[in-house]
Amino acid sequence: MIRFDQVSKRYPGGHEALSRLSFELERAEMVFLTGHSGAGKSTLLKLMMLMERPSQGQVFVSGQNLNRLSTRQIPQLRRQIGVVFQNHQLLFDRSVYDNVALPLLIEGYNPTEAGRRVRAALDKVGLLNKEKQNPIVLSGGEQQRVGIARAVVNKPKLLLADEPTGNLDPALSEEIMSLFQQFNDVGVTVLIASHDIALVRRLKKRVLGLANGELAFDGVLHNAANTE
Ligand code: ADP
Ligand code: ADP
C-alpha cells in the first residue's frame, strides 16, 4: 500500500528532515509513527500526500510512484487519502453536516448521494444526532470525531492522522483510537503519528520510530519493563 525507498527530504536552507528512509506498509495495516518533535513525522505524512516532494528516493502509494505524478494529478492522489489533523481544522461558519459534506461537494457529488454518505460517516463516529449543530458548541473529543467523519466520508483506502489525540485527555484518546481501529477492521490502512508513547504501547500495534529523520525502530512496543 505504501513504500518508501531510500527517501531523503531536505528543506531549503535546512538540515535533512528525513534521511534514506525505507519501509513498507501492507494494505489494511494499522501502524503508529512516533518520535520527538522535529523527528520528521509530519514530513513523512506530507510526502505521502505530495504536500512536499522528496529530495531523493521514491514514495509509492497504492502502486503509484509519486515522483511520476504531476501537480495536475495530485487531487486524484488525495482523493484516496483521508487526513485527520490534531487541530481538526473544522469550519465554524457552518454545521457539522456541512463540514463533513465539504470533500464530497468539492468532488461534485449530487446532494442525495452526498447526504447518504455524510450520514453514514456521522453514524460511524456516533454523531448522527449532532449534524445540525455548529461544531463550535461540541466538546474537543466530538470535534475530533467530526474531523474523522470528514476524513472518511469519501471512503479512502488510506487514513493518515497527525497527532489526532494531541489535545485530548486519556479516556477520549482511547475512544478516538478505537474509532481508527474500526476503520482498520474494515480494511482501511491507517498510519497515525503520535508522541503519546503510553497510548501507543497499550494498543500493541506496529510502530515506526523516527529519530532525527531516520528509522530507529520498527516493531511492537511491549511493556516499559522489557524495552529501552
Ligand atoms: P515532526 O512532525 O516529527 O515534529 P517535522 O517533519 O515537522 O517533524 O520536522 C522535521 C524537521 O524538518 C524539523 O527540524 C523541522 O524544523 C524541519 N522542517 C519541517 N518543515 C519545514 C519547512 N517547511 N521548512 C524548513 N524546515 C522544516
Ligand atoms: P509539527 O511538530 O506538528 O510538525 P511544527 O510546529 O513543527 O509542528 O510545524 C508547523 C508547520 O511549520 C508545519 O507545516 C511545518 O512544515 C512548518 N515548519 C516546521 N519547522 C519549520 C522550519 N524550521 N521552517 C519553516 N517551516 C517549518
Side-chain angles (χ1 to χ4, degrees):
M1 184 77 192
I2 303 285
R3 182 151 72 92
F4 274 58
D5 187 9
Q6 298 281 319
V7 172
S8 298
K9 173 64 182 177
R10 185 187 295 275
Y11 288 103
H15 64 113
E16 263 189 352
L18 294 177
S19 304
R20 302 175 72 84
L21 188 67
S22 297
F23 67 90
E24 286 183 43
L25 300 190
E26 301 294 331
R27 195 167 294 279
E29 259 194 292
M30 177 160 162
V31 176
F32 286 95
L33 183 62
T34 64
H36 292 293
S37 183
K41 304 183 294 298
S42 300
T43 299
L44 191 157
L45 298 178
K46 285 175 183 173
L47 290 173
M48 281 185 228
M49 294 181 275
L50 280 181
M51 289 168 69
E52 295 287 353
R53 286 190 181 267
S55 314
Q56 279 185 315
Q58 298 180 312
V59 178
F60 297 83
V61 173
S62 297
Q64 307 168 92
N65 182 339
L66 301 194
N67 287 349
R68 304 230 171 99
L69 290 193
S70 65
T71 306
R72 200 167 42 81
Q73 293 169 302
I74 291 177
Q76 165 244 317
L77 167 74
R78 293 198 186 146
R79 273 199 287 278
Q80 304 168 44
I81 306 177
V83 187
V84 178
F85 303 93
Q86 172 172 0
N87 55 7
H88 53 65
Q89 302 192 348
L90 299 178
L91 302 172
F92 292 142
D93 64 349
R94 65 195 76 191
S95 66
V96 164
Y97 180 98
D98 288 337
N99 268 276
V100 176
L102 205 56
L104 301 180
L105 296 185
I106 291 166
E107 281 188 48
Y109 275 80
N110 72 57
T112 312
E113 175 64 6
R116 204 182 57 72
R117 288 208 177 196
V118 170
R119 292 202 176 84
L122 284 173
D123 188 32
K124 281 181 198 146
V125 302
L127 286 179
L128 210 41
N129 58 338
K130 307 269 168 137
E131 61 172 287
K132 294 198 175 63
Q133 307 226 13
N134 186 301
I136 206 160
V137 305
L138 303 182
S139 69
E142 287 172 334
Q143 290 182 353
Q144 191 52 287
R145 286 192 274 148
V146 176
I148 294 172
R150 185 186 50 191
V152 300
V153 73
N154 63 359
K155 302 192 185 167
K157 291 273 177 286
L158 173 62
L159 194 51
L160 304 179
D162 198 356
E163 301 289 352
T165 63
N167 296 322
L168 302 177
D169 68 38
L172 285 175
S173 298
E174 298 269 1
E175 238 179 79
I176 295 294
M177 289 304 174
S178 68
L179 273 179
F180 284 117
Q181 178 70 64
Q182 283 172 39
F183 292 109
N184 178 243
D185 288 342
V186 296
V188 177
T189 307
V190 180
L191 180 62
I192 303 171
S194 174
H195 54 232
D196 186 347
I197 295 295
L199 179 63
V200 170
R201 244 182 234 293
R202 282 198 294 282
L203 297 170
K204 299 196 164 44
K205 299 286 184 189
R206 180 177 169 199
V207 173
L208 297 174
L210 288 181
N212 299 317
E214 294 184 22
L215 194 60
F217 183 84
D218 182 356
V220 178
L221 291 174
H222 295 288
N223 299 323
N226 53 34
T227 51
E228 289 152 353

